Amino acid sequence: YAGTPDTECFLSGNRIVVDFKTGPPRSVHGVQLHAYRRLPGYEQVKSVCSLYIKKDGTYLLSDHTKDHIHWGGFLAALAVLQWRRMKG
Protein backbone atom coordinates (compact mmCIF):
# COMPACT_ATOMS: atom_id res chain seq x y z
CA TYR A 1 0.00 0.00 0.00
CA ALA A 2 1.00 3.63 -0.31
CA GLY A 3 -0.08 7.03 0.82
CA THR A 4 1.10 10.50 1.72
CA PRO A 5 0.20 12.19 4.99
CA ASP A 6 -0.81 15.83 4.62
CA THR A 7 1.78 17.15 7.07
CA GLU A 8 4.21 16.28 9.82
CA CYS A 9 5.13 18.47 12.74
CA PHE A 10 6.58 18.39 16.21
CA LEU A 11 4.44 19.00 19.28
CA SER A 12 6.14 19.02 22.67
CA GLY A 13 9.16 17.39 21.03
CA ASN A 14 7.12 14.52 19.57
CA ARG A 15 6.84 13.87 15.84
CA ILE A 16 3.19 13.74 14.75
CA VAL A 17 1.35 13.20 11.48
CA VAL A 18 -1.71 15.33 10.78
CA ASP A 19 -4.21 14.71 7.99
CA PHE A 20 -6.52 17.59 7.04
CA LYS A 21 -10.23 16.83 6.69
CA THR A 22 -13.07 19.05 5.54
CA GLY A 23 -15.94 16.62 6.15
CA PRO A 24 -17.28 15.14 9.36
CA PRO A 25 -15.25 12.70 11.47
CA ARG A 26 -15.38 9.09 10.26
CA SER A 27 -13.87 5.91 11.72
CA VAL A 28 -11.99 5.22 8.50
CA HIS A 29 -9.82 8.29 9.14
CA GLY A 30 -8.13 6.53 12.05
CA VAL A 31 -7.58 3.48 9.86
CA GLN A 32 -5.91 5.66 7.23
CA LEU A 33 -3.63 7.34 9.77
CA HIS A 34 -2.53 4.09 11.40
CA ALA A 35 -1.56 2.84 7.93
CA TYR A 36 0.48 6.02 7.34
CA ARG A 37 2.27 5.42 10.62
CA ARG A 38 3.67 2.17 9.27
CA LEU A 39 4.96 3.56 5.96
CA PRO A 40 8.74 3.61 5.52
CA GLY A 41 10.15 6.77 7.08
CA TYR A 42 7.34 7.20 9.58
CA GLU A 43 8.46 4.65 12.18
CA GLN A 44 9.34 7.37 14.72
CA VAL A 45 5.93 9.07 14.60
CA LYS A 46 4.47 9.29 18.12
CA SER A 47 0.95 10.52 17.30
CA VAL A 48 -1.50 10.47 14.39
CA CYS A 49 -4.27 13.05 14.21
CA SER A 50 -7.04 14.27 11.94
CA LEU A 51 -7.61 18.02 11.79
CA TYR A 52 -11.24 18.67 10.86
CA ILE A 53 -11.60 22.16 9.41
CA LYS A 54 -15.09 23.63 9.16
CA LYS A 55 -16.32 26.26 6.71
CA ASP A 56 -16.74 28.79 9.54
CA GLY A 57 -13.02 28.52 10.37
CA THR A 58 -13.43 26.45 13.51
CA TYR A 59 -11.63 23.15 13.82
CA LEU A 60 -11.37 19.93 15.79
CA LEU A 61 -8.14 18.00 16.31
CA SER A 62 -8.83 14.30 16.81
CA ASP A 63 -5.99 12.10 18.09
CA HIS A 64 -6.22 8.51 16.79
CA THR A 65 -2.96 7.31 18.37
CA LYS A 66 -4.48 5.14 21.10
CA ASP A 67 -7.16 3.62 18.84
CA HIS A 68 -5.08 0.54 18.02
CA ILE A 69 -8.15 -1.29 16.69
CA HIS A 70 -7.77 0.86 13.54
CA TRP A 71 -4.57 -0.96 12.55
CA GLY A 72 -6.42 -4.26 12.80
CA GLY A 73 -9.20 -2.79 10.64
CA PHE A 74 -6.66 -1.78 8.03
CA LEU A 75 -5.06 -5.22 7.97
CA ALA A 76 -8.50 -6.85 7.63
CA ALA A 77 -9.44 -4.55 4.73
CA LEU A 78 -6.11 -5.24 3.04
CA ALA A 79 -6.66 -9.00 3.40
CA VAL A 80 -10.12 -8.73 1.81
CA LEU A 81 -8.69 -6.68 -1.07
CA GLN A 82 -5.97 -9.25 -1.68
CA TRP A 83 -8.51 -12.09 -1.54
CA ARG A 84 -10.77 -10.33 -4.04
CA ARG A 85 -7.85 -9.82 -6.40
CA MET A 86 -6.99 -13.54 -6.23
CA LYS A 87 -10.54 -14.89 -6.40
CA GLY A 88 -12.26 -12.24 -8.47
Side-chain angles (χ1 to χ4, degrees):
Y1 68 95
T4 305
D6 289 335
T7 194
E8 296 177 64
C9 58
F10 286 87
L11 183 62
S12 301
N14 293 315
R15 184 177 173 201
I16 67 170
V17 166
V18 179
D19 219 45
F20 302 114
K21 305 293 183 188
T22 56
R26 297 178 52 211
S27 295
V28 71
H29 297 155
V31 173
Q32 176 186 15
L33 282 155
H34 275 270
Y36 285 162
R37 192 174 188 188
R38 281 142 177 105
L39 287 170
Y42 292 93
E43 298 87 353
Q44 301 303 315
V45 167
K46 296 294 181 194
S47 298
V48 289
C49 302
S50 293
L51 181 61
Y52 298 96
I53 304 168
K54 299 179 185 178
K55 288 182 181 181
D56 65 4
T58 60
Y59 64 90
L60 169 69
L61 183 66
S62 181
D63 187 346
H64 304 287
T65 307
K66 295 183 180 178
D67 299 331
H68 298 290
I69 191 79
H70 290 312
W71 178 239
F74 176 79
L75 291 176
L78 189 58
V80 169
L81 176 63
Q82 291 169 341
W83 176 82
R84 289 186 68 188
R85 286 180 176 166
M86 288 186 336
K87 300 296 182 183

Coordinates of all heavy atoms in Angstrom, one line a residue:
Y1 N 0.8 -1.2 0.0 CA 0.0 0.0 0.0 C 0.9 1.2 0.0 O 2.1 1.2 0.2 CB -1.0 0.0 1.2 CG -0.3 0.1 2.6 CD1 -0.2 1.4 3.2 CD2 0.2 -1.0 3.2 CE1 0.4 1.5 4.4 CE2 0.8 -0.9 4.5 CZ 0.9 0.4 5.1 OH 1.4 0.5 6.3
A2 N 0.3 2.4 -0.2 CA 1.0 3.6 -0.3 C 0.1 4.8 0.2 O -1.1 4.6 0.3 CB 1.4 3.9 -1.7
G3 N 0.7 5.9 0.4 CA -0.1 7.0 0.8 C 0.9 8.2 1.2 O 2.1 8.0 1.3
T4 N 0.3 9.3 1.3 CA 1.1 10.5 1.7 C 0.3 11.3 2.8 O -0.7 11.9 2.5 CB 1.4 11.4 0.5 OG1 2.0 10.6 -0.5 CG2 2.3 12.5 0.9
P5 N 0.8 11.3 4.0 CA 0.2 12.2 5.0 C 0.2 13.7 4.6 O 1.2 14.1 3.9 CB 1.1 12.0 6.2 CG 1.8 10.7 6.0 CD 2.0 10.6 4.5
D6 N -0.7 14.4 5.0 CA -0.8 15.8 4.6 C 0.3 16.6 5.2 O 0.9 17.5 4.5 CB -2.1 16.4 5.0 CG -3.3 15.9 4.2 OD1 -3.1 15.5 3.0 OD2 -4.4 16.0 4.7
T7 N 0.7 16.4 6.5 CA 1.8 17.1 7.1 C 2.3 16.4 8.3 O 1.7 15.6 8.9 CB 1.3 18.6 7.5 OG1 2.5 19.4 7.7 CG2 0.4 18.6 8.7
E8 N 3.6 16.8 8.6 CA 4.2 16.3 9.8 C 4.6 17.5 10.6 O 5.0 18.5 10.0 CB 5.5 15.5 9.5 CG 5.3 14.2 8.8 CD 6.6 13.6 8.4 OE1 7.4 13.3 9.4 OE2 7.0 13.5 7.3
C9 N 4.6 17.4 11.9 CA 5.1 18.5 12.7 C 5.6 17.9 14.1 O 5.5 16.7 14.3 CB 4.1 19.5 12.9 SG 2.5 18.9 13.7
F10 N 6.1 18.8 14.9 CA 6.6 18.4 16.2 C 5.7 19.1 17.2 O 5.5 20.3 17.1 CB 8.1 18.7 16.4 CG 9.0 17.7 15.7 CD1 9.3 18.0 14.4 CD2 9.4 16.6 16.3 CE1 10.1 17.1 13.7 CE2 10.2 15.7 15.6 CZ 10.6 16.0 14.3
L11 N 5.2 18.4 18.2 CA 4.4 19.0 19.3 C 5.0 18.5 20.6 O 5.1 17.3 20.8 CB 3.0 18.6 19.1 CG 2.0 19.2 20.1 CD1 1.9 20.7 20.0 CD2 0.6 18.6 19.9
S12 N 5.5 19.4 21.4 CA 6.1 19.0 22.7 C 7.3 18.0 22.4 O 7.5 17.1 23.2 CB 5.1 18.4 23.7 OG 4.1 19.3 23.9
G13 N 8.0 18.2 21.3 CA 9.2 17.4 21.0 C 8.8 16.1 20.4 O 9.7 15.3 20.1
N14 N 7.5 15.8 20.2 CA 7.1 14.5 19.6 C 6.7 14.7 18.1 O 6.0 15.7 17.8 CB 5.9 13.9 20.3 CG 6.3 13.5 21.7 OD1 7.4 12.9 21.9 ND2 5.5 13.8 22.7
R15 N 7.2 13.8 17.3 CA 6.8 13.9 15.8 C 5.4 13.3 15.7 O 5.1 12.3 16.1 CB 7.8 13.0 15.1 CG 7.7 13.0 13.6 CD 8.7 12.2 12.9 NE 8.5 12.1 11.5 CZ 9.0 11.1 10.7 NH1 9.8 10.2 11.3 NH2 8.8 11.1 9.5
I16 N 4.6 14.1 15.0 CA 3.2 13.7 14.8 C 2.9 13.9 13.3 O 3.5 14.7 12.6 CB 2.2 14.5 15.6 CG1 2.1 16.0 15.3 CG2 2.5 14.4 17.1 CD1 1.0 16.7 15.9
V17 N 1.9 13.1 12.8 CA 1.3 13.2 11.5 C -0.1 13.7 11.6 O -0.8 13.3 12.5 CB 1.3 11.8 10.8 CG1 0.5 11.8 9.5 CG2 2.8 11.4 10.4
V18 N -0.4 14.7 10.8 CA -1.7 15.3 10.8 C -2.3 15.2 9.4 O -1.6 15.6 8.4 CB -1.7 16.8 11.2 CG1 -3.0 17.4 11.2 CG2 -1.0 16.9 12.6
D19 N -3.5 14.8 9.3 CA -4.2 14.7 8.0 C -5.4 15.7 8.1 O -6.1 15.7 9.0 CB -4.7 13.3 7.7 CG -4.6 12.9 6.3 OD1 -3.5 13.1 5.7 OD2 -5.5 12.3 5.7
F20 N -5.5 16.6 7.1 CA -6.5 17.6 7.0 C -7.8 17.0 6.5 O -7.8 16.3 5.5 CB -6.1 18.8 6.2 CG -4.8 19.4 6.7 CD1 -3.7 19.4 5.9 CD2 -4.8 20.1 7.9 CE1 -2.5 20.0 6.4 CE2 -3.6 20.7 8.4 CZ -2.5 20.6 7.6
K21 N -8.9 17.3 7.1 CA -10.2 16.8 6.7 C -11.2 18.0 6.7 O -11.2 18.9 7.5 CB -10.8 15.8 7.6 CG -9.8 14.6 7.9 CD -9.7 13.8 6.6 CE -8.8 12.5 6.8 NZ -8.5 11.8 5.6
T22 N -12.1 18.0 5.6 CA -13.1 19.0 5.5 C -14.5 18.5 5.8 O -15.4 19.3 5.9 CB -13.0 19.8 4.2 OG1 -13.2 18.8 3.1 CG2 -11.7 20.5 4.0
G23 N -14.6 17.2 5.9 CA -15.9 16.6 6.2 C -16.0 16.2 7.6 O -15.2 16.6 8.4
P24 N -17.1 15.5 8.0 CA -17.3 15.1 9.4 C -16.3 14.0 9.7 O -15.8 13.3 8.9 CB -18.7 14.7 9.4 CG -19.0 14.2 8.0 CD -18.2 15.1 7.1
P25 N -16.1 13.8 11.0 CA -15.2 12.7 11.5 C -15.8 11.4 11.1 O -17.1 11.2 11.1 CB -15.2 12.9 13.0 CG -15.5 14.3 13.2 CD -16.5 14.7 12.1
R26 N -15.0 10.4 10.6 CA -15.4 9.1 10.3 C -14.3 8.1 10.8 O -13.1 8.4 10.9 CB -15.5 9.0 8.7 CG -16.5 9.9 8.1 CD -16.6 9.8 6.6 NE -16.7 8.4 6.2 CZ -16.2 7.9 5.0 NH1 -15.6 8.8 4.2 NH2 -16.4 6.7 4.7
S27 N -14.8 6.9 11.2 CA -13.9 5.9 11.7 C -12.7 5.6 10.8 O -11.6 5.3 11.2 CB -14.6 4.6 12.1 OG -15.6 4.9 13.1
V28 N -13.0 5.6 9.5 CA -12.0 5.2 8.5 C -10.8 6.2 8.5 O -9.7 5.8 8.1 CB -12.6 5.1 7.1 CG1 -13.0 6.5 6.6 CG2 -11.7 4.4 6.1
H29 N -10.9 7.4 9.1 CA -9.8 8.3 9.1 C -8.7 7.7 10.1 O -7.5 7.9 9.8 CB -10.3 9.7 9.6 CG -11.2 10.3 8.7 ND1 -12.2 11.3 9.0 CD2 -11.5 10.1 7.3 CE1 -12.9 11.6 8.0 NE2 -12.5 10.9 6.9
G30 N -9.1 7.1 11.2 CA -8.1 6.5 12.1 C -7.4 5.4 11.4 O -6.2 5.1 11.6
V31 N -8.2 4.6 10.6 CA -7.6 3.5 9.9 C -6.5 4.0 8.9 O -5.4 3.5 8.9 CB -8.7 2.7 9.1 CG1 -8.1 1.7 8.2 CG2 -9.7 2.1 10.1
Q32 N -6.8 5.0 8.2 CA -5.9 5.7 7.2 C -4.6 6.1 7.9 O -3.5 5.9 7.5 CB -6.6 6.8 6.5 CG -5.7 7.6 5.6 CD -6.4 8.9 5.1 OE1 -7.4 9.3 5.6 NE2 -5.9 9.4 4.0
L33 N -4.8 6.8 9.1 CA -3.6 7.3 9.8 C -2.8 6.3 10.4 O -1.5 6.4 10.4 CB -4.1 8.3 10.8 CG -4.4 9.7 10.2 CD1 -5.4 10.5 11.0 CD2 -3.2 10.5 9.9
H34 N -3.3 5.2 10.9 CA -2.5 4.1 11.4 C -1.8 3.4 10.3 O -0.6 2.9 10.5 CB -3.4 3.1 12.2 CG -3.6 3.5 13.6 ND1 -2.7 3.2 14.6 CD2 -4.5 4.4 14.2 CE1 -3.1 3.7 15.8 NE2 -4.1 4.5 15.5
A35 N -2.3 3.4 9.1 CA -1.6 2.8 7.9 C -0.4 3.8 7.6 O 0.7 3.3 7.3 CB -2.5 2.7 6.7
Y36 N -0.6 5.1 7.6 CA 0.5 6.0 7.3 C 1.6 5.8 8.3 O 2.8 5.9 8.0 CB 0.0 7.5 7.5 CG -0.8 8.0 6.4 CD1 -1.6 9.1 6.6 CD2 -0.9 7.5 5.1 CE1 -2.4 9.7 5.6 CE2 -1.6 8.0 4.1 CZ -2.4 9.1 4.4 OH -3.2 9.7 3.4
R37 N 1.3 5.6 9.6 CA 2.3 5.4 10.6 C 3.2 4.3 10.4 O 4.3 4.2 10.9 CB 1.5 5.2 12.0 CG 2.4 5.3 13.2 CD 1.6 5.2 14.4 NE 2.3 5.6 15.6 CZ 1.9 5.4 16.8 NH1 0.7 5.0 17.0 NH2 2.7 5.7 17.8
R38 N 2.8 3.3 9.6 CA 3.7 2.2 9.3 C 4.4 2.3 7.9 O 5.0 1.3 7.5 CB 2.8 0.9 9.4 CG 2.7 0.5 10.9 CD 1.3 0.0 11.1 NE 1.2 -0.4 12.5 CZ 0.5 0.3 13.4 NH1 0.0 1.4 13.1 NH2 0.4 -0.1 14.7
L39 N 4.2 3.4 7.2 CA 5.0 3.6 6.0 C 6.4 3.8 6.3 O 6.8 4.3 7.3 CB 4.4 4.8 5.2 CG 3.1 4.7 4.6 CD1 2.6 6.1 4.1 CD2 3.1 3.7 3.4
P40 N 7.3 3.4 5.3 CA 8.7 3.6 5.5 C 9.0 5.1 5.7 O 8.5 6.0 5.1 CB 9.4 3.1 4.2 CG 8.4 2.1 3.7 CD 7.0 2.6 4.1
G41 N 9.8 5.4 6.7 CA 10.2 6.8 7.1 C 9.3 7.4 8.2 O 9.6 8.5 8.7
Y42 N 8.2 6.7 8.6 CA 7.3 7.2 9.6 C 7.4 6.4 10.9 O 6.5 6.5 11.7 CB 5.9 7.3 9.0 CG 5.8 8.3 7.9 CD1 5.9 7.9 6.6 CD2 5.5 9.6 8.2 CE1 5.8 8.9 5.6 CE2 5.4 10.6 7.2 CZ 5.5 10.2 5.9 OH 5.4 11.1 4.9
E43 N 8.4 5.5 11.0 CA 8.5 4.7 12.2 C 8.6 5.4 13.5 O 8.2 4.9 14.6 CB 9.6 3.7 12.0 CG 9.5 2.8 10.8 CD 10.1 3.3 9.6 OE1 10.5 4.5 9.5 OE2 10.2 2.6 8.6
Q44 N 9.1 6.6 13.5 CA 9.3 7.4 14.7 C 8.2 8.3 15.1 O 8.2 9.0 16.1 CB 10.6 8.2 14.6 CG 11.9 7.3 14.3 CD 12.1 6.3 15.4 OE1 12.0 6.5 16.6 NE2 12.4 5.1 15.0
V45 N 7.1 8.2 14.3 CA 5.9 9.1 14.6 C 5.3 8.6 15.9 O 5.1 7.4 16.2 CB 4.9 9.0 13.4 CG1 3.6 9.6 13.8 CG2 5.4 9.7 12.2
K46 N 5.0 9.6 16.8 CA 4.5 9.3 18.1 C 2.9 9.4 18.2 O 2.3 8.8 18.9 CB 5.1 10.2 19.2 CG 6.5 10.0 19.4 CD 6.9 8.7 19.9 CE 8.4 8.5 20.2 NZ 8.8 7.2 20.4
S47 N 2.4 10.3 17.3 CA 1.0 10.5 17.3 C 0.4 10.7 15.9 O 1.2 11.2 15.0 CB 0.6 11.8 18.1 OG 1.0 11.7 19.4
V48 N -0.8 10.3 15.7 CA -1.5 10.5 14.4 C -2.8 11.2 14.7 O -3.6 10.7 15.5 CB -1.7 9.1 13.6 CG1 -0.4 8.6 13.1 CG2 -2.3 8.1 14.5
C49 N -3.1 12.2 13.9 CA -4.3 13.0 14.2 C -5.0 13.5 12.9 O -4.3 13.7 11.9 CB -3.9 14.3 15.0 SG -3.0 14.0 16.5
S50 N -6.3 13.6 13.0 CA -7.0 14.3 11.9 C -7.4 15.7 12.4 O -7.8 15.9 13.5 CB -8.4 13.5 11.7 OG -8.1 12.2 11.2
L51 N -7.2 16.6 11.5 CA -7.6 18.0 11.8 C -8.8 18.3 10.9 O -8.7 18.4 9.7 CB -6.5 19.0 11.5 CG -6.8 20.5 11.8 CD1 -7.1 20.7 13.3 CD2 -5.6 21.3 11.4
Y52 N -10.0 18.4 11.6 CA -11.2 18.7 10.9 C -11.4 20.2 10.8 O -11.6 20.8 11.9 CB -12.4 18.0 11.6 CG -12.3 16.5 11.6 CD1 -11.7 15.8 12.7 CD2 -12.6 15.7 10.5 CE1 -11.5 14.5 12.7 CE2 -12.5 14.3 10.5 CZ -11.9 13.7 11.6 OH -11.8 12.4 11.6
I53 N -11.5 20.7 9.6 CA -11.6 22.2 9.4 C -13.0 22.5 8.9 O -13.4 21.9 7.8 CB -10.5 22.7 8.4 CG1 -9.1 22.3 9.0 CG2 -10.7 24.2 8.3 CD1 -8.0 22.5 8.0
K54 N -13.7 23.3 9.6 CA -15.1 23.6 9.2 C -15.1 24.9 8.3 O -14.2 25.7 8.4 CB -16.0 23.8 10.4 CG -16.0 22.5 11.2 CD -16.9 22.7 12.5 CE -16.8 21.5 13.4 NZ -17.6 21.7 14.6
K55 N -16.2 25.1 7.6 CA -16.3 26.3 6.7 C -16.3 27.6 7.5 O -15.9 28.6 7.0 CB -17.6 26.2 5.9 CG -17.6 25.1 4.8 CD -18.9 25.1 4.0 CE -18.8 24.0 3.0 NZ -20.0 24.0 2.1
D56 N -16.7 27.6 8.8 CA -16.7 28.8 9.5 C -15.4 29.1 10.2 O -15.2 30.1 10.9 CB -17.8 28.7 10.6 CG -17.6 27.7 11.7 OD1 -16.6 27.0 11.6 OD2 -18.5 27.5 12.5
G57 N -14.4 28.3 9.9 CA -13.0 28.5 10.4 C -12.7 27.8 11.7 O -11.6 27.8 12.1
T58 N -13.7 27.2 12.3 CA -13.4 26.4 13.5 C -12.8 25.1 13.1 O -12.9 24.7 12.0 CB -14.7 26.3 14.4 OG1 -15.7 25.5 13.6 CG2 -15.3 27.6 14.8
Y59 N -12.3 24.4 14.1 CA -11.6 23.2 13.8 C -11.7 22.2 15.0 O -12.0 22.6 16.1 CB -10.2 23.4 13.4 CG -9.3 24.0 14.5 CD1 -8.7 23.1 15.5 CD2 -9.2 25.3 14.7 CE1 -7.9 23.7 16.5 CE2 -8.5 25.9 15.7 CZ -7.8 25.0 16.6 OH -7.1 25.6 17.6
L60 N -11.4 21.0 14.8 CA -11.4 19.9 15.8 C -10.2 19.1 15.5 O -10.0 18.6 14.4 CB -12.6 19.1 15.8 CG -12.6 17.8 16.6 CD1 -12.6 18.1 18.1 CD2 -13.8 16.9 16.3
L61 N -9.3 18.9 16.5 CA -8.1 18.0 16.3 C -8.5 16.7 17.0 O -8.7 16.7 18.2 CB -6.9 18.6 16.9 CG -5.6 17.8 16.7 CD1 -5.2 17.7 15.3 CD2 -4.5 18.4 17.5
S62 N -8.5 15.6 16.3 CA -8.8 14.3 16.8 C -7.6 13.4 16.8 O -7.0 13.1 15.7 CB -10.0 13.7 16.0 OG -10.3 12.4 16.5
D63 N -7.2 12.9 18.0 CA -6.0 12.1 18.1 C -6.4 10.6 18.0 O -7.2 10.2 18.8 CB -5.3 12.4 19.4 CG -4.0 11.7 19.6 OD1 -3.7 10.8 18.8 OD2 -3.2 12.0 20.5
H64 N -5.9 9.9 17.0 CA -6.2 8.5 16.8 C -5.1 7.6 17.3 O -5.3 6.3 17.2 CB -6.4 8.2 15.3 CG -7.4 9.1 14.6 ND1 -8.7 8.9 14.8 CD2 -7.2 10.1 13.8 CE1 -9.4 9.8 14.1 NE2 -8.5 10.6 13.4
T65 N -4.1 8.1 18.0 CA -3.0 7.3 18.4 C -3.3 6.1 19.2 O -2.8 5.0 19.0 CB -2.0 8.2 19.1 OG1 -1.7 9.4 18.3 CG2 -0.7 7.5 19.4
K66 N -4.2 6.2 20.2 CA -4.5 5.1 21.1 C -5.6 4.2 20.6 O -5.9 3.2 21.3 CB -4.9 5.7 22.5 CG -3.7 6.4 23.1 CD -4.0 6.9 24.5 CE -2.8 7.7 25.0 NZ -3.0 8.2 26.3
D67 N -6.1 4.5 19.4 CA -7.2 3.6 18.8 C -6.5 2.5 18.0 O -6.6 2.5 16.8 CB -8.1 4.4 18.0 CG -8.8 5.5 18.7 OD1 -9.0 5.4 19.9 OD2 -9.1 6.6 18.1
H68 N -5.8 1.6 18.7 CA -5.1 0.5 18.0 C -5.9 -0.4 17.2 O -5.4 -1.1 16.3 CB -4.3 -0.2 19.0 CG -3.3 0.6 19.7 ND1 -2.2 1.1 19.1 CD2 -3.2 1.1 21.0 CE1 -1.5 1.9 20.0 NE2 -2.1 1.9 21.1
I69 N -7.2 -0.4 17.5 CA -8.1 -1.3 16.7 C -8.1 -0.9 15.2 O -8.4 -1.7 14.3 CB -9.6 -1.2 17.3 CG1 -10.5 -2.3 16.7 CG2 -10.2 0.1 17.1 CD1 -10.2 -3.7 17.2
H70 N -7.8 0.4 14.9 CA -7.8 0.9 13.5 C -6.7 0.1 12.7 O -6.9 -0.1 11.5 CB -7.5 2.4 13.5 CG -8.7 3.2 14.0 ND1 -10.0 3.0 13.6 CD2 -8.7 4.2 14.8 CE1 -10.8 3.9 14.2 NE2 -10.0 4.6 14.9
W71 N -5.6 -0.2 13.3 CA -4.6 -1.0 12.6 C -5.1 -2.3 12.2 O -4.9 -2.8 11.1 CB -3.3 -1.1 13.3 CG -2.2 -1.8 12.6 CD1 -1.6 -3.0 13.1 CD2 -1.6 -1.6 11.4 NE1 -0.7 -3.4 12.2 CE2 -0.7 -2.6 11.1 CE3 -1.8 -0.6 10.4 CZ2 0.1 -2.7 9.9 CZ3 -1.1 -0.7 9.2 CH2 -0.1 -1.7 9.0
G72 N -5.8 -3.0 13.1 CA -6.4 -4.3 12.8 C -7.5 -4.1 11.7 O -7.6 -5.0 10.8
G73 N -8.2 -3.0 11.7 CA -9.2 -2.8 10.6 C -8.5 -2.6 9.3 O -9.0 -3.1 8.3
F74 N -7.4 -1.9 9.3 CA -6.7 -1.8 8.0 C -6.2 -3.1 7.5 O -6.3 -3.4 6.3 CB -5.5 -0.8 8.2 CG -4.7 -0.7 7.0 CD1 -5.1 0.1 5.9 CD2 -3.5 -1.4 6.8 CE1 -4.3 0.2 4.7 CE2 -2.7 -1.3 5.7 CZ -3.1 -0.5 4.7
L75 N -5.6 -3.9 8.4 CA -5.1 -5.2 8.0 C -6.2 -6.1 7.4 O -6.0 -6.8 6.5 CB -4.3 -5.9 9.1 CG -3.0 -5.3 9.5 CD1 -2.4 -6.0 10.8 CD2 -2.0 -5.2 8.4
A76 N -7.4 -6.1 8.1 CA -8.5 -6.8 7.6 C -9.0 -6.4 6.2 O -9.2 -7.2 5.4 CB -9.6 -6.7 8.6
A77 N -9.0 -5.1 6.0 CA -9.4 -4.6 4.7 C -8.4 -4.9 3.6 O -8.8 -5.3 2.5 CB -9.6 -3.0 4.8
L78 N -7.2 -4.9 4.0 CA -6.1 -5.2 3.0 C -6.2 -6.7 2.7 O -6.1 -7.1 1.5 CB -4.7 -4.9 3.6 CG -3.5 -5.1 2.7 CD1 -3.7 -4.2 1.5 CD2 -2.3 -4.7 3.5
A79 N -6.5 -7.6 3.7 CA -6.7 -9.0 3.4 C -7.8 -9.3 2.5 O -7.8 -10.1 1.6 CB -6.8 -9.8 4.7
V80 N -8.9 -8.6 2.7 CA -10.1 -8.7 1.8 C -9.8 -8.3 0.4 O -10.1 -8.9 -0.6 CB -11.3 -8.0 2.4 CG1 -12.5 -7.9 1.4 CG2 -11.8 -8.6 3.7
L81 N -9.1 -7.2 0.3 CA -8.7 -6.7 -1.1 C -7.8 -7.7 -1.8 O -8.0 -8.0 -3.0 CB -8.0 -5.3 -0.9 CG -7.4 -4.8 -2.2 CD1 -8.5 -4.4 -3.2 CD2 -6.5 -3.5 -2.0
Q82 N -6.8 -8.3 -1.1 CA -6.0 -9.3 -1.7 C -6.8 -10.5 -2.1 O -6.5 -11.1 -3.1 CB -4.8 -9.6 -0.7 CG -3.9 -8.4 -0.6 CD -2.9 -8.7 0.6 OE1 -3.1 -9.5 1.5 NE2 -1.8 -7.9 0.5
W83 N -7.7 -10.9 -1.2 CA -8.5 -12.1 -1.5 C -9.3 -11.8 -2.8 O -9.5 -12.7 -3.7 CB -9.4 -12.4 -0.3 CG -10.4 -13.5 -0.6 CD1 -10.1 -14.8 -0.5 CD2 -11.7 -13.4 -1.0 NE1 -11.2 -15.6 -0.8 CE2 -12.2 -14.7 -1.1 CE3 -12.6 -12.3 -1.2 CZ2 -13.6 -14.9 -1.5 CZ3 -13.9 -12.5 -1.5 CH2 -14.4 -13.8 -1.7
R84 N -9.9 -10.7 -2.9 CA -10.8 -10.3 -4.0 C -9.9 -10.3 -5.3 O -10.4 -10.7 -6.4 CB -11.5 -9.0 -3.9 CG -12.6 -9.1 -2.8 CD -13.3 -7.8 -2.7 NE -14.1 -7.6 -4.0 CZ -14.8 -6.5 -4.3 NH1 -14.8 -5.5 -3.5 NH2 -15.4 -6.5 -5.4
R85 N -8.7 -9.8 -5.2 CA -7.8 -9.8 -6.4 C -7.5 -11.2 -6.8 O -7.4 -11.5 -8.0 CB -6.6 -9.0 -6.1 CG -6.8 -7.5 -6.1 CD -5.6 -6.8 -5.8 NE -5.8 -5.4 -5.9 CZ -5.0 -4.4 -5.5 NH1 -3.8 -4.8 -4.9 NH2 -5.3 -3.2 -5.6
M86 N -7.3 -12.1 -5.9 CA -7.0 -13.5 -6.2 C -8.2 -14.3 -6.7 O -8.1 -15.1 -7.6 CB -6.4 -14.2 -5.0 CG -5.0 -13.8 -4.7 SD -4.2 -14.7 -3.3 CE -5.5 -15.4 -2.4
K87 N -9.4 -14.1 -6.1 CA -10.5 -14.9 -6.4 C -11.5 -14.2 -7.3 O -12.4 -14.9 -7.8 CB -11.2 -15.2 -5.1 CG -10.4 -16.0 -4.1 CD -10.1 -17.4 -4.7 CE -9.2 -18.2 -3.7 NZ -8.9 -19.4 -4.2
G88 N -11.4 -12.9 -7.6 CA -12.3 -12.2 -8.5 C -13.5 -12.0 -7.9 O -14.6 -11.8 -8.1

